[in-house]
Amino acid sequence: MVVKISPVPGFTPISDRIFIRNEDSDSSETPEKPAIEQPTTIIVFGWGDGTPKNVAKYADGYHKLFPKARILMVISSTWEAIYQSLEQRIGAMLPLVDAVFPTSEDLSEKRIILHAMSNTGGIYAAAALHAFQHRHGEDKALPHHLCVSDSTPGSIVFASEVGRWSRAVALGTAKWFPWPFIVTQKIWWAVLYAVHLLERAIGREASGVASCRAFLEHGTATPRAPRLYMYSKTDDLIWWEDVEAQAAVAKSKGYTTIMEMFDNSPHVGHMRMHPDQYWGAIENNWRASVALEGNSRT
């Protein structure tokens, strides 16, 4: 069901979880930059249980960097990312694909940044890759020129992830229950373990595993787009060793990887603690991506 009133000023809902910043957004906040330097569209996939108000802070940061870009943000719950099937996740991302890519023509004119936050954001970013193919053909990959991975991906080994997944879901649902947080986390641990056993029984691939795999397949996620990994050694939900391990796999598959480590920042808290470093890394890598595109055409 389409939401008719946006929870964030300046955004228009195109589904109950996808919001677009109006095309006529005020661009007077910063001097206009040459069009070739700006992305045409930026898609921010928020962290699990992130509110529109909080995820919109990242859209605001992008708007200051690229005032002419259309910006979409995707809001998702951690629990849905875990239990939904791939088909359900694809269906949830089809409105996004229809808004950004109504046809498969003139894709060369689009310059896209994908920004995934935490594992939930990565799971729905991967669903958007599949949704694009669902609409426009299995032989086409969603075009993008920079992929930003903020506090993601984590380990794809269930035994090492279940404790952190249960804590993440508990953080998003603790307000629903009167008992201590640890009780909520233990309940979710049991639920996640049951989901894991069910998936094994029916032969369904776990969402975290599926999303990591999608971003390693050239036919789904173009190797043309550099991967910028934003992470911290003090992230208590996504360990830095897992981010670096996943980045190493991506590099071995032919993807350009850039590692941006932040000091003492929590999970998806790098922008809040280190805004200059955060937005500087994004802008510098976008410029490098544009320069790479220009060199490939000469």
Side-chain angles (χ1 to χ4, degrees), residues 21 35 62 84-85 94 105-106 117-118 124 126 161 175 177 187 193 215 270:
R21 187 152 192 162
Y62 270 116
Q84 282 188 329
S85 67
L94 285 176
E105 300 176 358
D106 299 324
M117 308 187 72
S118 191
Y124 284 99
E161 280 292 285
K175 62 181 179 291
F177 307 109
I187 291 172
Y193 215 99
F215 272 102
H270 318 311

Side-chain angles (χ1 to χ4, degrees), residues 3 27 33 43 63 76 87 98 111 190 207:
V3 178
S27 62
K33 301 178 182 181
I43 309 172
H63 181 63
S76 302
E87 291 73 22
D98 292 339
R111 299 183 299 277
S207 57

Side-chain angles (χ1 to χ4, degrees), residues 146-153 215-216 226-232 242-251 255-262 270 281 285:
L146 179 64
C147 181
V148 181
S149 297
D150 182 336
S151 307
T152 188
F215 272 102
L216 293 173
R227 304 279 177 86
L228 172 59
Y229 294 88
M230 320 269 268
Y231 66 117
S232 168
D242 293 332
V243 175
E244 291 189 349
Q246 293 294 329
V249 174
K251 185 175 182 179
Y255 294 90
T256 299
T257 60
I258 307 99
M259 311 305 295
E260 188 73 25
M261 182 177 283
F262 297 82
H270 318 311
N285 282 283

